[in-house]
Amino acid sequence: MLLNVKKGLLALTLLTAVISCKKNAIDYQNGGVDESKVYQKPITYDQIELVSNLEKITLILEDLYKEKKNLKLVNAAIYAKAYTDESVLLKDLINPMHSILPGNKKFVALCSKWNVSLQDFSDAFWKAARMKNDTKLFDFLDFVQNKHLPIQNLSNNQFIVNDQNQSSQVSIYFPYSAEFDISASGDSYGPVASLVAASAEADEALGFQPYYSGGTLLEYRPVVVNDEYVFSHPTHIVGINGIEPYETQDAALNPPTVTTPPNVNRVYVGDAICKAQYDRLISFTGNGGGSEIAYCRVSGYLKLVGHQITEFEDKTSVKFARGTIRKKEWLRVYAVWDADWVAENKEQVFAIYEDDNNSEITFTGSLSTTVKVAAGTTIDGSIDYQIKRSSQDEIIKQLKISRGSYFAGALRNQGWGFGIDKSFLPVSATHGWPFYDAVSDGGANVGWTWPYDGY
């Protein structure tokens, strides 16, 4: 009980410190931020402590960005696309020895072109951090950079006790970075960047815009940051965006040449579109940035009669950057949805949801298919499914369709016209595969094409 009281008092102290911080003296209401676009504020001890450290890191970056070389280095890391979603992990910027960046050819090339150094940035960051004389911040940063080490080597760090595992995921996010990508330019490159600390789950927050005079950065001025602002002003958001190295993404984003064996009826998620921003622009929970749309398949084929399906058969995750969503652009995916839709598998479900790390949705229903009653014995029957997934949004799609209906209509207009991609189409085809649910100027928020090969 006493421990809980102490934690509560410490949380209150931390919150007071955050509010009274020089750079954050303007709160949401007085700063002109639309409260309806602020969805979750830190309330627990760990959340308040995390947000406090995110704001302190942002202040360090404000100091570092007074020298353009430091901003160039961060932009080089983001433009190199070592990580998904226009972001880079802080730990890769402040611990060069264990960073993945030196192994990225584009990052190395940009550093050479812009005459910047990862080691120099790291040294400058730690020098600025030490000047803060803030033990809590230093402990937090130490844990951030050493998260890769065995747990016994970190046993004295309080952030393990406080279960602050997300600290290793602190990222710098540059939304709409492609709009400002001049990485092909030479030494004349002179970047600017507003800065925002993720002090809430929000689509609008208070940030700070650099003000220059005579080429010299004089100060940062408070500004309301939202999607419109970051689309027209280069902005770095310090938060937890839920990113991963590109090499761990679904291979569908760089699809190999596909060869379907004879007599195999292979079905694909062809092209994909998302027209709504499902995740927050600013996040400290890992649910920020672009949208992670999961295209899935539910099948009961050859499952044991009487059992319940609790997992998807296949899942293709497509990561849509905010720019791709804003511009309503189609992505070419061509990932296998069903490697072979056999005649005995009479019904399946095409399911779509947006992947998050909080809340829960449940796909439920029943399928008619061929099921097993015992080893080697099958019958025509039905089987129920109940599949739970983490998402803070409603189910996007749960389409049950029979095999006969799919193949009969797979080349027909579904109401939204046709794409131009003719992969797998007969030579005589005069159009591409039909759009399902969405085109760029109408329909649902998420759409796809659904081609097949081998039928």
Side-chain angles (χ1 to χ4, degrees):
M1 180 68 177
L2 182 59
L3 179 60
N4 289 336
V5 171
K6 286 182 177 178
K7 276 199 167 188
L9 289 173
L10 183 53
L12 181 60
T13 302
L14 282 167
L15 184 58
T16 303
V18 169
I19 293 174
S20 62
C21 180
K22 175 174 72 73
K23 286 292 185 180
N24 296 285
I26 304 174
D27 62 25
Y28 284 110
Q29 294 174 337
N30 294 333
V33 172
D34 183 350
E35 280 285 334
S36 69
K37 295 181 179 179
V38 180
Y39 310 104
Q40 178 187 342
K41 296 181 181 179
I43 54 174
T44 68
Y45 168 83
D46 284 348
Q47 287 175 345
I48 293 170
E49 193 170 54
L50 172 61
V51 164
S52 175
N53 283 306
L54 293 177
E55 294 189 343
K56 293 173 184 177
I57 291 166
T58 305
L59 294 179
I60 292 175
L61 291 178
E62 286 187 10
D63 290 337
L64 294 185
Y65 286 3
K66 291 176 182 177
E67 294 190 51
K68 291 288 183 75
K69 66 178 183 179
N70 292 321
L71 178 51
K72 286 183 181 182
L73 188 284
V74 177
N75 281 349
I78 292 170
Y79 284 132
K81 296 185 177 180
Y83 284 93
T84 60
D85 208 10
E86 306 173 280
S87 303
V88 63
L89 289 182
L90 179 64
K91 68 179 183 180
D92 284 295
L93 296 172
I94 65 174
N95 190 350
M97 183 176 296
H98 295 282
S99 174
I100 69 171
L101 293 173
N104 183 294
K105 292 181 179 179
K106 185 173 181 180
F107 174 75
V108 173
L110 287 175
C111 287
S112 176
K113 178 179 289 186
W114 293 343
N115 193 28
V116 293
S117 161
L118 180 60
Q119 186 63 57
D120 287 350
F121 178 89
S122 176
D123 291 344
F125 184 94
W126 285 106
K127 180 180 179 180
R130 284 190 290 270
M131 290 178 65
K132 299 295 182 184
N133 197 26
D134 186 330
T135 302
K136 278 187 171 293
L137 171 62
F138 209 82
D139 286 345
F140 181 83
L141 291 172
D142 189 51
F143 185 61
V144 167
Q145 71 156 348
N146 289 314
K147 183 62 168 61
H148 63 279
L149 296 177
I151 205 77
Q152 61 266 22
N153 292 347
L154 300 170
S155 57
N156 293 325
N157 195 301
Q158 63 175 314
F159 291 100
I160 293 175
V161 178
N162 291 340
D163 195 30
Q164 294 240 358
N165 290 328
Q166 278 193 308
S167 62
S168 66
Q169 297 300 307
V170 173
S171 61
I172 301 174
Y173 172 42
F174 188 177
Y176 301 106
S177 59
E179 300 298 314
F180 313 100
D181 187 358
I182 52 174
S183 57
S185 65
D187 294 337
S188 61
Y189 177 49
V192 295
S194 299
L195 279 160
V196 184
S199 54
E201 293 290 296
D203 285 326
E204 191 166 286
L206 188 67
F208 294 90
Q209 183 180 45
Y211 174 71
Y212 289 85
S213 179
T216 301
L217 176 59
L218 298 183
E219 62 178 342
Y220 282 87
R221 296 178 175 178
V223 61
V224 174
V225 175
N226 51 33
D227 214 65
E228 291 300 319
Y229 181 88
V230 299
F231 182 69
S232 56
H233 299 81
T235 304
H236 286 183
I237 300 172
V238 181
I240 296 180
N241 219 35
I243 64 175
E244 58 187 1
Y246 258 108
E247 58 266 30
T248 66
Q249 289 190 95
D250 194 295
L253 296 185
N254 295 289
T257 302
V258 180
T259 302
T260 303
N263 304 316
V264 169
N265 305 311
R266 187 157 292 170
V267 184
Y268 302 86
V269 178
D271 302 283
I273 192 172
C274 177
K275 300 184 294 181
Q277 306 286 1
Y278 283 93
D279 276 349
R280 309 308 180 198
L281 174 65
I282 300 154
S283 176
F284 65 87
T285 68
N287 294 311
S291 298
E292 298 78 35
I293 303 297
Y295 293 83
C296 308
R297 178 171 68 97
V298 185
S299 173
Y301 180 58
L302 298 184
K303 299 293 191 296
L304 194 62
V305 66
H307 283 213
Q308 186 179 73
I309 303 165
T310 58
E311 295 292 338
F312 291 117
E313 290 291 319
D314 291 282
K315 173 184 173 181
T316 295
S317 293
V318 181
K319 295 173 173 61
F320 291 89
R322 293 186 82 86
T324 302
I325 296 170
R326 184 186 181 99
K327 295 177 181 179
K328 301 177 182 178
E329 295 174 339
W330 284 87
L331 297 180
R332 191 179 192 277
V333 179
Y334 278 82
V336 173
W337 181 76
D338 187 342
D340 186 12
W341 194 344
V342 297
E344 293 79 11
N345 194 1
K346 303 181 188 305
E347 289 182 335
Q348 298 196 84
V349 172
F350 193 101
I352 308 175
Y353 69 97
E354 204 274 331
D355 213 349
D356 295 308
N357 61 19
N358 61 358
S359 300
E360 189 176 75
I361 55 174
T362 305
F363 293 84
T364 59
S366 180
L367 289 168
S368 296
T369 188
T370 301
V371 294
K372 291 195 297 186
V373 293
T377 305
T378 62
I379 60 170
D380 289 344
S382 65
I383 190 167
D384 296 335
Y385 63 90
Q386 184 178 81
I387 302 173
K388 299 180 183 296
R389 284 294 178 268
S390 294
S391 181
Q392 60 189 7
D393 304 290
E394 295 181 354
I395 290 172
I396 296 172
K397 194 71 177 180
Q398 186 176 196
L399 171 63
K400 182 169 75 171
I401 189 169
S402 70
R403 184 179 186 275
S405 294
Y406 166 76
F407 281 111
L411 291 169
R412 297 178 181 175
N413 192 340
Q414 303 297 315
W416 303 107
F418 299 90
I420 61 173
D421 195 321
K422 295 188 177 183
S423 300
F424 313 134
L425 278 168
V427 176
S428 59
T430 58
H431 52 69
W433 293 98
F435 294 123
Y436 282 77
D437 273 12
V439 289
S440 58
D441 57 353
N445 287 333
V446 176
W448 75 100
T449 61
W450 206 1
Y452 66 82
D453 187 20
Y455 186 74

